[in-house]
Amino acid sequence: MLQEDTVDKVKDVITQDVWGSIKEFLNWGLHFGSGKEKIHITIGTFLLIIISFIIVNRLLILSRKLVSKKLPEDDRNKFNSIFTFLRYLIYILVVIAVLSASGVDVTVFLTASAALFVGLGFALQTLFQDVLSGIFIILDQTLHIGDIIEFDDGKIGRVFDIKLRTTRALTRDDKVIVIPNHKFLTEKVYNWTQNHKTTREHVSIGVAYGSDTTLVSELLIKSLEGQEGILKAPKPFVLFEDFGDSALQFGVYFFTSNSFADPRIKSDLRFKIDALFKEHNISIPFPQREIHVYNKKE
């Protein structure tokens, strides 16, 4: 019986003295209002916020490692900035949740700032589109450094920098074009080198009717010999494409690993083709029209 009394006394000491002191310490702080509208900002509230920050930070670090594990080093560094933004956003939500649990009526602050948030939302709508598009580009790997892209308006550039909001590419005129990332979602963009760096290019040529088509094919293949930038495999080939109005239409097709420089390659081929055709008396015709003039009799 004495032992049970001792145990009860120890429990009372722990419950009333130790835990009571801790509870009193945690409840120490600022108290406003009364009844249901009473607001408590205590040491316990601050400790809860700190503990919540630590837990959220650990979860974000774990999530970042899982998501960015398979990303290239450059994209991994860029994606870290996304988690930095998310961390601050979640911290704000944690503070709001803890204050709400402490009896602070946060709806007053949210209602007062609603108009501001709406205004900022409209003002930053394009910015958010660009940032979200940048996140998608990094995650699904649809665009890489070194890719050659073409837009519907004919602009061609080689990507050299991908950021969260914009992508920068170098045009064939050595000019930098800054592309908002949302254009990759809202517009049609051709990625010439997404699958691999090799692309197929061609040069079209017309020869006069009556020309030796076999010789034309041989000369076109010969024009490719020794040309810098043209791959030997896959093997180039010639197509007899059509019977045109004024010429027989041919196309010489070749493969290159430097499609960004294909205008120079095509120009060199045209010089060679012109020289070979002149050497073998193969003419390149031009459209001819007959005009008949009738004098109206009075």
Side-chain angles (χ1 to χ4, degrees):
M1 188 68 177
L2 180 61
Q3 187 176 3
E4 292 180 358
D5 292 338
T6 304
V7 172
D8 291 337
K9 288 181 180 180
V10 172
K11 287 182 179 179
D12 291 339
V13 170
I14 294 175
T15 304
Q16 296 178 6
D17 296 342
V18 179
W19 175 244
S21 299
I22 294 174
K23 189 175 181 181
E24 183 179 353
F25 173 75
L26 293 176
N27 287 331
W28 187 83
L30 301 176
H31 305 274
F32 305 96
S34 60
K36 293 183 179 179
E37 297 181 356
K38 191 172 183 179
I39 298 174
H40 306 275
I41 300 178
T42 64
I43 293 177
T45 302
F46 286 109
L47 289 177
L48 183 58
I49 291 175
I50 293 173
I51 294 172
S52 300
F53 279 1
I54 294 174
I55 294 174
V56 167
N57 188 55
R58 294 296 181 184
L59 291 176
L60 282 175
I61 291 175
L62 179 61
S63 301
R64 182 184 63 188
K65 290 181 180 179
L66 291 175
V67 173
S68 61
K69 181 171 59 175
K70 296 182 179 180
L71 293 177
E73 184 65 27
D74 292 338
D75 292 340
R76 189 181 303 129
N77 293 333
K78 294 171 186 175
F79 199 72
N80 288 340
S81 60
I82 301 172
F83 278 92
T84 302
F85 171 76
L86 291 176
R87 182 175 60 188
Y88 292 135
L89 179 61
I90 294 176
Y91 282 171
I92 294 174
L93 296 177
V94 168
V95 172
I96 293 175
V98 173
L99 291 177
S100 178
S102 301
V104 179
D105 189 6
V106 295
T107 57
V108 177
F109 301 102
L110 295 177
T111 303
S113 58
L116 176 62
F117 289 154
V118 171
L120 287 174
F122 282 113
L124 301 176
Q125 183 177 5
T126 303
L127 175 63
F128 289 150
Q129 286 182 345
D130 291 336
V131 172
L132 288 176
S133 300
I135 294 173
F136 292 144
I137 289 173
I138 293 174
L139 285 179
D140 61 16
Q141 297 290 287
T142 55
L143 196 65
H144 298 87
I145 302 297
D147 282 353
I148 299 173
I149 56 176
E150 177 185 359
F151 289 92
D152 278 344
D153 58 4
K155 291 181 181 177
I156 298 172
R158 174 185 283 150
V159 176
F160 69 88
D161 189 25
I162 303 174
K163 296 183 179 294
L164 277 181
R165 193 181 67 83
T166 59
T167 294
R168 292 189 292 173
L170 187 69
T171 68
R172 286 169 171 164
D173 300 322
D174 282 339
K175 297 177 181 178
V176 175
I177 177 172
V178 180
I179 310 160
N181 283 335
H182 76 270
K183 287 186 175 293
F184 291 98
L185 295 183
T186 58
E187 297 183 8
K188 185 183 294 183
V189 180
Y190 300 92
N191 191 333
W192 291 6
T193 54
Q194 180 176 358
N195 295 330
H196 45 71
K197 299 300 180 183
T198 301
T199 60
R200 191 183 76 177
E201 309 294 340
H202 77 282
V203 172
S204 298
I205 186 71
V207 299
Y209 274 89
S211 301
D212 186 343
T213 55
T214 302
L215 178 60
V216 169
S217 178
E218 293 174 355
L219 294 177
L220 291 177
I221 291 296
K222 186 177 180 180
S223 68
L224 301 174
E225 295 178 357
Q227 176 59 45
E228 182 181 357
I230 295 180
L231 301 177
K232 294 183 179 180
K235 191 176 180 180
F237 59 91
V238 173
L239 291 181
F240 188 165
E241 295 181 332
D242 201 1
F243 295 93
D245 293 337
S246 304
L248 303 175
Q249 301 294 334
F250 285 82
V252 53
Y253 291 80
F254 59 91
F255 295 84
T256 178
S257 58
N258 187 14
S259 55
F260 195 65
D262 80 301
R264 178 184 56 80
I265 298 174
K266 291 178 180 179
S267 176
D268 292 343
L269 285 181
R270 292 185 181 103
F271 277 115
K272 291 182 179 180
I273 291 171
D274 182 63
L276 288 171
F277 280 10
K278 287 180 179 178
E279 182 181 345
H280 293 82
N281 297 320
I282 294 178
S283 61
I284 302 175
F286 56 89
Q288 301 182 28
R289 300 289 185 270
E290 292 184 0
I291 300 176
H292 300 274
V293 178
Y294 297 95
N295 292 324
K296 184 178 181 181
K297 296 183 180 179
E298 296 182 356

Coordinates of all heavy atoms in Angstrom, one line a residue, residues 63-139:
S63 N 12.5 15.1 -51.2 CA 11.8 15.2 -52.5 C 12.7 15.7 -53.6 O 12.7 15.2 -54.8 CB 10.6 16.2 -52.4 OG 9.7 15.7 -51.4
R64 N 13.6 16.7 -53.3 CA 14.5 17.2 -54.3 C 15.5 16.2 -54.8 O 15.7 16.0 -56.0 CB 15.3 18.4 -53.7 CG 16.2 19.1 -54.7 CD 17.0 20.2 -54.0 NE 17.8 19.6 -53.0 CZ 18.5 20.4 -52.1 NH1 18.4 21.7 -52.2 NH2 19.3 19.8 -51.2
K65 N 16.0 15.3 -53.9 CA 16.9 14.3 -54.3 C 16.2 13.3 -55.1 O 16.8 12.8 -56.1 CB 17.5 13.6 -53.0 CG 18.4 14.5 -52.3 CD 19.0 13.8 -51.0 CE 20.0 14.7 -50.3 NZ 20.5 14.0 -49.1
L66 N 15.0 12.9 -54.8 CA 14.2 11.9 -55.6 C 13.9 12.4 -57.0 O 14.1 11.7 -58.0 CB 12.9 11.5 -54.9 CG 13.1 10.7 -53.6 CD1 11.7 10.5 -52.9 CD2 13.8 9.4 -53.8
V67 N 13.5 13.7 -57.1 CA 13.1 14.2 -58.4 C 14.3 14.5 -59.3 O 14.3 14.2 -60.5 CB 12.3 15.5 -58.2 CG1 12.0 16.2 -59.6 CG2 11.0 15.2 -57.5
S68 N 15.4 15.1 -58.7 CA 16.5 15.5 -59.5 C 17.6 14.5 -59.7 O 18.6 14.7 -60.3 CB 17.1 16.8 -58.9 OG 17.6 16.5 -57.6
K69 N 17.4 13.3 -59.2 CA 18.4 12.2 -59.2 C 18.8 11.9 -60.6 O 20.0 11.6 -60.9 CB 17.9 11.0 -58.4 CG 18.9 9.8 -58.4 CD 18.4 8.8 -57.4 CE 17.1 8.2 -57.9 NZ 16.6 7.1 -57.0
K70 N 17.8 11.8 -61.5 CA 18.1 11.4 -62.9 C 18.4 12.6 -63.8 O 18.5 12.3 -65.0 CB 16.9 10.6 -63.4 CG 16.7 9.3 -62.6 CD 15.6 8.4 -63.2 CE 15.4 7.1 -62.5 NZ 14.3 6.3 -63.1
L71 N 18.4 13.8 -63.3 CA 18.6 14.9 -64.2 C 20.1 15.2 -64.4 O 20.9 14.8 -63.5 CB 18.0 16.2 -63.5 CG 16.4 16.2 -63.4 CD1 16.0 17.5 -62.7 CD2 15.8 16.1 -64.8
P72 N 20.4 15.7 -65.5 CA 21.9 16.1 -65.7 C 22.3 17.2 -64.7 O 21.4 17.8 -64.1 CB 21.9 16.7 -67.2 CG 20.6 16.1 -67.8 CD 19.6 16.0 -66.7
E73 N 23.6 17.3 -64.6 CA 24.1 18.2 -63.6 C 23.6 19.7 -63.7 O 23.2 20.3 -62.8 CB 25.7 18.2 -63.6 CG 26.3 19.0 -62.5 CD 26.0 18.5 -61.1 OE1 25.8 17.3 -61.0 OE2 26.0 19.3 -60.1
D74 N 23.6 20.2 -65.0 CA 23.2 21.5 -65.2 C 21.7 21.7 -64.9 O 21.3 22.7 -64.2 CB 23.4 21.9 -66.7 CG 24.9 22.0 -67.0 OD1 25.7 22.2 -66.1 OD2 25.2 21.9 -68.2
D75 N 20.9 20.8 -65.3 CA 19.4 20.9 -65.0 C 19.2 20.7 -63.5 O 18.2 21.3 -63.0 CB 18.7 19.8 -65.8 CG 18.7 20.1 -67.3 OD1 18.9 21.3 -67.6 OD2 18.4 19.2 -68.1
R76 N 20.0 19.9 -62.8 CA 19.8 19.6 -61.4 C 20.1 20.9 -60.6 O 19.3 21.3 -59.7 CB 20.8 18.6 -60.9 CG 20.5 18.1 -59.5 CD 21.5 17.0 -59.1 NE 21.5 15.9 -60.0 CZ 22.5 15.4 -60.5 NH1 23.7 15.9 -60.3 NH2 22.4 14.3 -61.3
N77 N 21.1 21.7 -61.0 CA 21.4 23.0 -60.4 C 20.2 24.0 -60.6 O 19.9 24.7 -59.7 CB 22.7 23.5 -60.9 CG 23.9 22.7 -60.5 OD1 23.8 22.0 -59.5 ND2 24.9 22.7 -61.3
K78 N 19.7 24.0 -61.8 CA 18.5 24.9 -62.1 C 17.3 24.5 -61.3 O 16.5 25.3 -60.8 CB 18.3 24.9 -63.6 CG 19.4 25.5 -64.4 CD 19.1 25.3 -65.9 CE 20.3 25.7 -66.7 NZ 20.1 25.4 -68.1
F79 N 17.1 23.2 -61.2 CA 15.9 22.7 -60.5 C 16.0 23.0 -59.0 O 14.9 23.1 -58.3 CB 15.7 21.2 -60.7 CG 14.3 20.7 -60.5 CD1 13.3 21.1 -61.4 CD2 14.0 20.0 -59.4 CE1 12.0 20.6 -61.1 CE2 12.7 19.5 -59.1 CZ 11.7 19.9 -60.0
N80 N 17.2 23.1 -58.5 CA 17.3 23.5 -57.0 C 16.6 24.8 -56.7 O 16.1 25.0 -55.6 CB 18.8 23.5 -56.6 CG 19.4 22.1 -56.6 OD1 18.6 21.1 -56.5 ND2 20.7 22.0 -56.7
S81 N 16.7 25.7 -57.7 CA 16.1 27.1 -57.5 C 14.5 26.9 -57.3 O 13.9 27.7 -56.7 CB 16.4 28.0 -58.6 OG 16.0 27.5 -59.8
I82 N 14.0 25.9 -58.0 CA 12.5 25.7 -57.9 C 12.2 25.3 -56.5 O 11.2 25.8 -55.9 CB 12.1 24.6 -58.9 CG1 12.4 25.0 -60.3 CG2 10.6 24.3 -58.8 CD1 12.2 23.9 -61.3
F83 N 13.0 24.4 -55.9 CA 12.7 24.0 -54.6 C 12.9 25.1 -53.5 O 12.3 25.1 -52.5 CB 13.6 22.7 -54.2 CG 13.0 21.5 -54.7 CD1 13.4 21.0 -56.0 CD2 12.1 20.7 -54.0 CE1 12.9 19.8 -56.5 CE2 11.6 19.6 -54.5 CZ 11.9 19.1 -55.7
T84 N 13.9 26.0 -53.9 CA 14.0 27.1 -53.0 C 12.8 28.0 -52.9 O 12.3 28.4 -51.9 CB 15.2 28.0 -53.5 OG1 16.4 27.2 -53.5 CG2 15.5 29.2 -52.5
F85 N 12.2 28.2 -54.1 CA 10.9 28.9 -54.2 C 9.8 28.2 -53.5 O 9.1 28.8 -52.7 CB 10.6 29.2 -55.7 CG 9.2 29.8 -55.9 CD1 8.9 31.1 -55.6 CD2 8.1 28.9 -56.3 CE1 7.7 31.6 -55.8 CE2 6.9 29.5 -56.5 CZ 6.6 30.8 -56.2
L86 N 9.7 26.9 -53.7 CA 8.7 26.1 -53.0 C 8.9 26.1 -51.5 O 7.9 26.1 -50.7 CB 8.7 24.7 -53.5 CG 8.2 24.5 -55.0 CD1 8.4 23.0 -55.4 CD2 6.8 24.9 -55.1
R87 N 10.1 26.1 -51.1 CA 10.4 26.0 -49.6 C 9.9 27.3 -48.9 O 9.2 27.2 -47.9 CB 11.9 25.9 -49.4 CG 12.3 25.8 -47.9 CD 13.7 25.6 -47.8 NE 14.5 26.7 -48.4 CZ 15.9 26.6 -48.5 NH1 16.5 25.5 -48.1 NH2 16.5 27.6 -49.0
Y88 N 10.1 28.5 -49.5 CA 9.6 29.7 -48.9 C 8.1 29.8 -49.0 O 7.5 30.2 -48.0 CB 10.2 30.9 -49.7 CG 11.7 31.1 -49.5 CD1 12.6 31.3 -50.5 CD2 12.3 30.9 -48.2 CE1 13.9 31.5 -50.4 CE2 13.6 31.1 -48.0 CZ 14.5 31.3 -49.1 OH 15.8 31.5 -48.9
L89 N 7.5 29.3 -50.1 CA 6.1 29.3 -50.1 C 5.4 28.4 -49.1 O 4.5 28.7 -48.4 CB 5.6 28.8 -51.5 CG 4.1 28.7 -51.8 CD1 3.5 30.1 -51.6 CD2 3.8 28.1 -53.2
I90 N 6.0 27.2 -48.9 CA 5.5 26.2 -47.9 C 5.7 26.8 -46.5 O 4.9 26.6 -45.6 CB 6.1 24.9 -48.0 CG1 5.7 24.2 -49.4 CG2 5.8 23.9 -46.9 CD1 6.3 22.9 -49.7
Y91 N 6.9 27.5 -46.3 CA 7.1 28.1 -45.0 C 6.0 29.1 -44.6 O 5.5 29.2 -43.5 CB 8.5 28.8 -45.0 CG 9.7 27.9 -44.8 CD1 10.9 28.4 -45.0 CD2 9.5 26.6 -44.5 CE1 12.0 27.6 -44.9 CE2 10.6 25.8 -44.4 CZ 11.9 26.3 -44.6 OH 13.0 25.5 -44.5
I92 N 5.6 29.9 -45.6 CA 4.5 30.8 -45.4 C 3.2 30.1 -45.0 O 2.5 30.5 -44.1 CB 4.3 31.7 -46.6 CG1 5.5 32.6 -46.8 CG2 3.0 32.6 -46.5 CD1 5.5 33.4 -48.1
L93 N 2.9 29.0 -45.7 CA 1.7 28.2 -45.4 C 1.8 27.6 -44.0 O 0.8 27.5 -43.3 CB 1.5 27.1 -46.5 CG 1.3 27.6 -47.9 CD1 1.2 26.5 -48.8 CD2 0.0 28.5 -47.9
V94 N 3.0 27.2 -43.6 CA 3.2 26.6 -42.3 C 2.9 27.6 -41.2 O 2.2 27.4 -40.2 CB 4.6 26.0 -42.1 CG1 4.9 25.7 -40.7 CG2 4.7 24.8 -43.0
V95 N 3.4 28.8 -41.4 CA 3.2 29.9 -40.4 C 1.7 30.2 -40.3 O 1.2 30.4 -39.2 CB 4.0 31.2 -40.8 CG1 3.6 32.4 -39.9 CG2 5.5 30.9 -40.7
I96 N 1.0 30.3 -41.4 CA -0.4 30.6 -41.4 C -1.2 29.5 -40.7 O -2.1 29.7 -39.9 CB -0.9 30.7 -42.9 CG1 -0.3 32.0 -43.5 CG2 -2.5 30.8 -42.9 CD1 -0.7 32.2 -45.0
A97 N -0.8 28.2 -41.0 CA -1.5 27.1 -40.3 C -1.3 27.1 -38.8 O -2.2 26.9 -38.0 CB -1.0 25.8 -40.9
V98 N 0.0 27.4 -38.4 CA 0.3 27.4 -36.9 C -0.4 28.5 -36.2 O -1.0 28.4 -35.1 CB 1.8 27.4 -36.7 CG1 2.1 27.6 -35.2 CG2 2.5 26.2 -37.2
L99 N -0.4 29.7 -36.9 CA -1.1 30.8 -36.3 C -2.6 30.6 -36.2 O -3.3 30.9 -35.2 CB -0.9 32.1 -37.1 CG 0.6 32.6 -37.0 CD1 0.7 33.9 -37.9 CD2 1.0 33.0 -35.6
S100 N -3.1 29.9 -37.2 CA -4.6 29.6 -37.2 C -4.9 28.6 -36.0 O -5.9 28.7 -35.4 CB -5.0 29.0 -38.5 OG -6.4 28.6 -38.5
A101 N -4.0 27.6 -35.8 CA -4.2 26.7 -34.7 C -4.0 27.4 -33.4 O -4.6 26.9 -32.4 CB -3.2 25.5 -34.9
S102 N -3.3 28.5 -33.3 CA -3.1 29.2 -32.1 C -4.2 30.2 -31.8 O -4.2 30.9 -30.8 CB -1.8 30.0 -32.1 OG -0.7 29.1 -32.3
G103 N -5.2 30.2 -32.7 CA -6.4 31.1 -32.4 C -6.3 32.4 -33.1 O -7.2 33.2 -33.0
V104 N -5.3 32.6 -34.0 CA -5.2 33.9 -34.7 C -6.1 33.7 -36.0 O -6.1 32.8 -36.7 CB -3.8 34.1 -35.2 CG1 -3.7 35.4 -36.0 CG2 -2.9 34.2 -34.0
D105 N -7.0 34.7 -36.2 CA -7.9 34.7 -37.3 C -7.2 35.2 -38.5 O -7.1 36.4 -38.8 CB -9.1 35.6 -37.0 CG -10.2 35.5 -38.0 OD1 -10.1 34.6 -38.9 OD2 -11.2 36.2 -38.0
V106 N -6.6 34.2 -39.3 CA -5.8 34.6 -40.5 C -6.7 35.0 -41.6 O -6.2 35.5 -42.6 CB -4.9 33.4 -40.8 CG1 -3.9 33.1 -39.8 CG2 -5.7 32.1 -41.1
T107 N -8.0 34.7 -41.6 CA -8.9 35.0 -42.7 C -8.9 36.5 -42.9 O -9.2 37.0 -44.0 CB -10.3 34.5 -42.4 OG1 -10.8 35.0 -41.2 CG2 -10.3 33.0 -42.4
V108 N -8.7 37.3 -41.8 CA -8.7 38.7 -41.9 C -7.6 39.2 -42.8 O -7.7 40.0 -43.7 CB -8.6 39.4 -40.5 CG1 -8.5 40.9 -40.6 CG2 -9.8 39.0 -39.6
F109 N -6.4 38.6 -42.6 CA -5.2 39.0 -43.4 C -5.4 38.5 -44.8 O -5.0 39.2 -45.8 CB -3.9 38.4 -42.8 CG -3.7 38.8 -41.4 CD1 -4.0 38.0 -40.3 CD2 -3.2 40.1 -41.1 CE1 -3.7 38.4 -39.0 CE2 -2.9 40.5 -39.8 CZ -3.2 39.6 -38.8
L110 N -5.9 37.3 -45.0 CA -6.1 36.7 -46.4 C -7.1 37.5 -47.1 O -6.9 37.8 -48.3 CB -6.5 35.3 -46.3 CG -5.5 34.3 -45.7 CD1 -6.1 32.9 -45.6 CD2 -4.2 34.3 -46.5
T111 N -8.2 38.0 -46.5 CA -9.2 38.8 -47.2 C -8.7 40.1 -47.5 O -8.9 40.6 -48.6 CB -10.5 38.9 -46.3 OG1 -10.9 37.6 -45.9 CG2 -11.5 39.7 -47.0
A112 N -7.9 40.7 -46.6 CA -7.4 42.0 -46.9 C -6.4 42.0 -48.0 O -6.2 43.0 -48.8 CB -6.7 42.6 -45.6
S113 N -5.6 40.9 -48.2 CA -4.6 40.8 -49.2 C -5.1 40.2 -50.5 O -4.4 40.0 -51.5 CB -3.4 40.0 -48.7 OG -3.8 38.7 -48.3
A114 N -6.4 39.8 -50.5 CA -7.0 39.1 -51.7 C -6.9 40.0 -53.0 O -6.5 39.5 -54.0 CB -8.4 38.7 -51.5
A115 N -7.3 41.2 -52.8 CA -7.2 42.1 -54.0 C -5.8 42.3 -54.5 O -5.5 42.3 -55.7 CB -7.8 43.5 -53.6
L116 N -4.8 42.4 -53.6 CA -3.4 42.5 -54.0 C -3.0 41.3 -54.7 O -2.3 41.3 -55.7 CB -2.6 42.7 -52.7 CG -1.1 42.8 -52.9 CD1 -0.7 43.9 -53.9 CD2 -0.3 42.9 -51.6
F117 N -3.4 40.1 -54.2 CA -3.0 38.8 -54.8 C -3.6 38.7 -56.2 O -2.9 38.2 -57.2 CB -3.4 37.6 -54.0 CG -2.6 37.5 -52.7 CD1 -3.2 36.8 -51.6 CD2 -1.4 38.0 -52.6 CE1 -2.5 36.7 -50.4 CE2 -0.6 37.8 -51.4 CZ -1.2 37.2 -50.3
V118 N -4.8 39.2 -56.4 CA -5.5 39.1 -57.7 C -4.7 40.0 -58.7 O -4.4 39.7 -59.8 CB -6.9 39.5 -57.6 CG1 -7.5 39.7 -59.0 CG2 -7.7 38.5 -56.8
G119 N -4.4 41.2 -58.2 CA -3.7 42.2 -59.1 C -2.3 41.6 -59.5 O -1.9 41.7 -60.6
L120 N -1.6 41.1 -58.5 CA -0.3 40.5 -58.8 C -0.4 39.3 -59.7 O 0.4 39.0 -60.6 CB 0.4 40.1 -57.5 CG 0.9 41.2 -56.6 CD1 1.5 40.6 -55.3 CD2 2.0 42.0 -57.3
G121 N -1.5 38.5 -59.6 CA -1.7 37.4 -60.4 C -1.8 37.7 -61.9 O -1.2 37.1 -62.7
F122 N -2.6 38.8 -62.1 CA -2.8 39.3 -63.5 C -1.5 39.8 -64.0 O -1.1 39.6 -65.2 CB -3.9 40.3 -63.6 CG -5.3 39.7 -63.6 CD1 -6.1 40.0 -62.6 CD2 -5.7 38.9 -64.7 CE1 -7.4 39.4 -62.5 CE2 -7.0 38.4 -64.7 CZ -7.8 38.6 -63.6
A123 N -0.8 40.6 -63.2 CA 0.5 41.2 -63.6 C 1.6 40.2 -63.9 O 2.4 40.4 -64.8 CB 0.9 42.2 -62.6
L124 N 1.6 39.1 -63.1 CA 2.6 38.1 -63.2 C 2.2 36.9 -63.9 O 2.9 35.8 -63.9 CB 3.1 37.7 -61.8 CG 3.7 38.9 -61.0 CD1 4.0 38.4 -59.6 CD2 4.9 39.6 -61.6
Q125 N 1.1 36.9 -64.7 CA 0.5 35.7 -65.3 C 1.5 35.2 -66.3 O 1.8 34.0 -66.3 CB -0.8 36.1 -66.0 CG -1.5 34.9 -66.7 CD -2.8 35.3 -67.4 OE1 -3.1 36.5 -67.4 NE2 -3.5 34.3 -67.9
T126 N 2.1 36.0 -67.2 CA 3.0 35.6 -68.2 C 4.3 35.0 -67.5 O 4.9 34.0 -67.9 CB 3.4 36.7 -69.1 OG1 2.2 37.2 -69.7 CG2 4.3 36.2 -70.2
L127 N 4.7 35.7 -66.4 CA 5.9 35.2 -65.7 C 5.7 33.8 -65.2 O 6.6 33.0 -65.3 CB 6.2 36.2 -64.6 CG 7.4 35.8 -63.6 CD1 8.7 35.7 -64.4 CD2 7.5 36.8 -62.5
F128 N 4.5 33.6 -64.6 CA 4.2 32.3 -64.0 C 4.2 31.2 -65.1 O 4.6 30.1 -65.0 CB 2.9 32.3 -63.3 CG 3.0 33.0 -62.0 CD1 1.8 33.7 -61.5 CD2 4.1 33.1 -61.3 CE1 1.9 34.3 -60.3 CE2 4.2 33.8 -60.1 CZ 3.1 34.4 -59.6
Q129 N 3.6 31.6 -66.3 CA 3.6 30.7 -67.4 C 5.0 30.3 -67.9 O 5.3 29.1 -68.1 CB 2.9 31.3 -68.6 CG 1.4 31.4 -68.5 CD 0.7 32.0 -69.7 OE1 1.4 32.6 -70.5 NE2 -0.6 31.8 -69.8
D130 N 5.9 31.3 -67.9 CA 7.3 31.0 -68.3 C 8.0 30.1 -67.3 O 8.7 29.2 -67.7 CB 8.0 32.4 -68.5 CG 7.6 33.2 -69.6 OD1 7.0 32.6 -70.6 OD2 7.7 34.4 -69.6
V131 N 7.8 30.4 -66.0 CA 8.4 29.6 -65.0 C 7.9 28.2 -65.0 O 8.7 27.2 -64.9 CB 8.2 30.3 -63.6 CG1 8.7 29.3 -62.5 CG2 8.9 31.6 -63.5
L132 N 6.6 28.0 -65.1 CA 6.1 26.6 -65.1 C 6.5 25.9 -66.4 O 6.9 24.7 -66.3 CB 4.5 26.7 -65.1 CG 3.9 27.1 -63.8 CD1 2.4 27.2 -63.9 CD2 4.2 26.1 -62.7
S133 N 6.6 26.6 -67.5 CA 7.1 26.0 -68.7 C 8.6 25.6 -68.6 O 9.0 24.5 -69.0 CB 7.0 26.9 -69.9 OG 5.6 27.3 -70.1
G134 N 9.3 26.4 -67.9 CA 10.7 26.1 -67.6 C 10.9 24.9 -66.8 O 11.8 24.0 -67.0
I135 N 10.0 24.7 -65.8 CA 10.0 23.5 -64.9 C 9.7 22.3 -65.8 O 10.4 21.2 -65.7 CB 9.0 23.7 -63.8 CG1 9.4 24.8 -62.8 CG2 8.8 22.3 -63.0 CD1 8.3 25.1 -61.8
F136 N 8.7 22.4 -66.7 CA 8.3 21.2 -67.5 C 9.5 20.9 -68.4 O 9.8 19.7 -68.7 CB 7.1 21.5 -68.3 CG 5.8 21.6 -67.5 CD1 4.8 22.6 -67.8 CD2 5.7 20.8 -66.4 CE1 3.7 22.7 -67.0 CE2 4.5 20.9 -65.6 CZ 3.5 21.9 -65.9
I137 N 10.1 21.9 -69.0 CA 11.3 21.6 -69.9 C 12.4 20.9 -69.2 O 13.0 19.9 -69.7 CB 11.8 23.0 -70.5 CG1 10.8 23.6 -71.5 CG2 13.1 22.8 -71.2 CD1 11.1 24.9 -71.9
I138 N 12.7 21.3 -68.0 CA 13.7 20.6 -67.2 C 13.4 19.2 -66.8 O 14.2 18.3 -66.9 CB 14.1 21.5 -65.9 CG1 14.7 22.8 -66.4 CG2 15.0 20.7 -65.0 CD1 14.9 23.8 -65.2
L139 N 12.1 19.0 -66.4 CA 11.7 17.7 -66.0 C 11.5 16.7 -67.1 O 12.0 15.6 -67.0 CB 10.3 17.8 -65.2 CG 10.4 18.4 -63.8 CD1 9.0 18.5 -63.2 CD2 11.3 17.6 -62.9

